[in-house]
């Protein structure tokens, strides 16, 4: 009942459609007459009707399904790095996330995964992972941050535009498809994928998809990692030393993103800290110095409270300057400890001795008699730095003991 003429057959899920349209998750694999393809894969067949037309065939297939991933992890679970961007030498990545988990959510990021809808099994070695660098994103408390993330595979940063800088010529550079602007990783090895992140962000994300043997690319899935706060500034060296003017503190930053200031705090016992002063942040990698004049003699401990513009902060490691009087007041031998006991000899009157770990937690305390050696049970303590504090005759003396 169809008049002779030229027609176009259209495969669609709608009876009134004039253009191809398949349900979500399906893709065209070809069309033609009999076993002869018409040379295009678009869901249409051109047809000239002059007699009965039969054996016109369409091929469709369910596409692989990429899995959405969403994680919340602590910055302490990342690995500290200092790597330049291959595409922008002024940009450096400070954190590495290794997607070694197996779940699609939680606090341990996992690798991109997919499912074959026909078998219910995961993506196989014949399937190709597709990464779109245009989807890379980062945010600081909801505000976009450019250049916050890049994926690295087999040592090559998967940058927009392909391999750049020192990565050029790398074995993985051939994975970049210049026609689509995407990276296509065949025989994907999850152990070779890394997520590199700059500091100063609270979340990062990207999109990925899977391409099957027929060339069909799945719908994209989202992958996000939130850090429960802003990834902090990276501190370089931080030192404290006695000088004629007081205690000289020096420190430098490797990079600053949103840092407002450094508050210098000091303590006489390594536990209770109080403000000593404040130094404004430079806003970029910089070196700083600050001189503190202690009001009393003795050992002094110092730390930096590094505060971001939004009020979030982190602390630096603790540094200390020993009073020479402490070394004269009592001795520790051997130091570093080499056996189960460290000998303490005190030259003053009756006193109290206590030992704390680097976090100020007590590990030992006892009375100390003048002129009588005391054995400190260092062999029972974990490896680390300890503070031996002797208080007597109205004075407090502190020395550091290393337990290797």
């Amino acid at each position: 009942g169809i008049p002779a003429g030229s027609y176009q057959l259209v495969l669609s899920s709608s009876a009134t459609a004039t253009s191809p349209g398949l349900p979500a998750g399906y893709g065209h694999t070809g069309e033609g007459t009999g076993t002869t393809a018409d040379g295009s894969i678009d869901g249409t067949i051109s047809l000239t009707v002059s007699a009965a037309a039969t054996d016109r065939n369409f091929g469709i297939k369910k596409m692989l399904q990429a899995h959405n991933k969403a994680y919340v992890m602590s910055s302490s679970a990342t690995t500290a790095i200092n790597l330049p961007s291959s595409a922008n030498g002024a940009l450096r990545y400070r954190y590495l996330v290794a997607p070694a988990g197996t779940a699609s959510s939680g606090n341990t990021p996992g690798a991109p995964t997919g499912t074959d809808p026909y078998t219910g099994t995961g993506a196989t070695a014949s399937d190709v992972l597709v990464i779109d660098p245009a989807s890379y994103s980062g945010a600081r408390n909801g505000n976009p941050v450019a250049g916050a993330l890049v994926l690295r595979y087999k040592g090559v940063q998967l940058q927009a535009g392909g391999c750049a800088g020192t990565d050029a010529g790398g074995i993985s550079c051939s994975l970049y498809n210049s026609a689509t602007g995407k990276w296509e990783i065949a025989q994907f090895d999850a152990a070779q994928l890394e997520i590199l992140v700059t500091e100063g962000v609270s979340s990062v994300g990207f999109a990925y998809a899977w391409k099957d043997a027929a060339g069909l690319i799945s719908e994209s899935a989202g992958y996000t990692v939130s850090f429960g706060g802003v990834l902090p500034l990276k501190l370089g060296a931080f030192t404290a030393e006695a000088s004629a003017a007081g205690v000289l503190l020096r420190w430098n930053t490797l990079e600053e993103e949103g840092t407002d200031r450094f508050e210098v705090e000091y303590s006489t016992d390594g536990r209770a800290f109080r403000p000593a002063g404040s130094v404004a942040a430079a806003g970029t990698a910089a070196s700083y110095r600050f001189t503190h004049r202690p009001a009393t003699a003795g050992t002094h401990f110092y730390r930096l409270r590094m505060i971001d513009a939004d009020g979030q902060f982190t602390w630096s490691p603790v540094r200390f300057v020993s009073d020479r009087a402490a070394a004269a007041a009592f001795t520790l031998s051997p130091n570093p400890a080499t056996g189960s006991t460290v000998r303490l000899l005190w030259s003053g009157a009756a006193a109290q001795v206590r030992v704390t770990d680097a976090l100020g937690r007590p590990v030992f305390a006892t009375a100390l008699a003048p002129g009588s050696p005391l054995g400190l049970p260092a062999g029972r303590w974990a490896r680390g730095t300890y503070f031996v504090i002797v208080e007597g005759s109205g004075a407090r003396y502190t020395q550091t003991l290393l337990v290797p």
Side-chain angles (χ1 to χ4, degrees), residues 216-312:
L216 294 178
I217 298 178
S218 72
E219 296 181 358
S220 293
Y223 190 115
T224 61
V225 180
S226 298
F227 299 102
V230 176
L231 292 177
L233 164 149
K234 282 294 185 182
L235 183 68
F238 174 40
T239 62
E241 60 184 275
S243 69
V247 177
L248 176 60
L249 305 176
R250 291 191 179 98
W251 68 94
N252 72 285
T253 57
L254 302 177
E255 185 175 333
E256 296 176 22
E257 177 68 38
T259 306
D260 180 71
R261 66 191 184 278
F262 302 87
E263 291 188 354
V264 180
E265 299 182 344
Y266 79 101
S267 169
T268 57
D269 60 7
R271 293 179 297 173
F273 284 82
R274 68 193 76 175
S278 180
V279 178
T284 186
S287 296
Y288 302 87
R289 57 191 294 150
F290 179 88
T291 299
H292 178 235
R293 295 177 180 273
T296 60
T299 298
H300 290 82
F301 302 82
Y302 294 89
R303 70 185 182 189
L304 301 174
R305 186 175 182 178
M306 303 174 289
I307 304 176
D308 290 340
D310 58 10
Q312 298 191 63

Side-chain angles (χ1 to χ4, degrees), residues 9-212:
L9 297 181
V10 174
L11 181 65
S12 174
S13 57
S14 171
T16 59
T18 58
S19 60
L22 296 179
Y26 284 82
H28 298 282
T29 59
E31 52 274 331
T33 302
T35 58
T36 303
D38 64 3
S40 63
I41 302 178
D42 57 9
T44 64
I45 297 176
S46 296
L47 175 66
T48 299
V49 175
S50 58
T54 59
D55 205 15
R56 300 309 196 266
N57 302 311
F58 293 89
I60 63 172
K61 182 178 183 292
K62 283 185 178 181
M63 297 182 290
L64 295 170
Q65 299 168 345
H67 301 155
N68 288 313
K69 309 272 185 173
Y71 304 95
V72 178
M73 65 181 301
S74 167
S75 62
S76 62
T78 66
T79 300
I81 59 174
N82 182 15
L83 293 175
S85 164
S86 61
N88 178 2
L91 179 67
R92 303 191 77 85
Y93 302 108
R94 304 297 184 180
Y95 296 87
L96 184 150
V97 176
T102 57
S104 292
S105 61
N107 56 16
T108 304
T113 56
T115 300
D116 184 324
Y118 292 101
T119 64
T121 58
T124 67
S126 63
D127 300 317
V128 176
L129 177 65
V130 180
I131 301 292
D132 184 1
S135 70
Y136 293 165
S137 63
R140 179 186 176 89
N141 297 328
N143 299 312
V145 176
L149 159 145
V150 73
L151 299 183
R152 184 168 67 168
Y153 187 72
K154 292 186 176 180
V156 169
Q157 295 179 20
L158 308 185
Q159 299 281 4
C163 284
T166 56
D167 283 346
I171 190 172
S172 298
C173 293
S174 61
L175 302 177
Y176 181 70
N177 186 332
S178 58
T180 63
K182 299 177 182 180
W183 291 83
E184 299 185 358
I185 305 174
Q187 297 182 325
F188 172 61
D189 181 357
Q192 299 292 329
L193 183 69
E194 298 167 319
I195 304 172
L196 310 185
V197 185
T198 62
E199 65 191 13
V201 297
S202 55
S203 63
V204 293
F206 62 92
Y208 71 95
W210 290 96
K211 183 166 73 172
D212 62 21

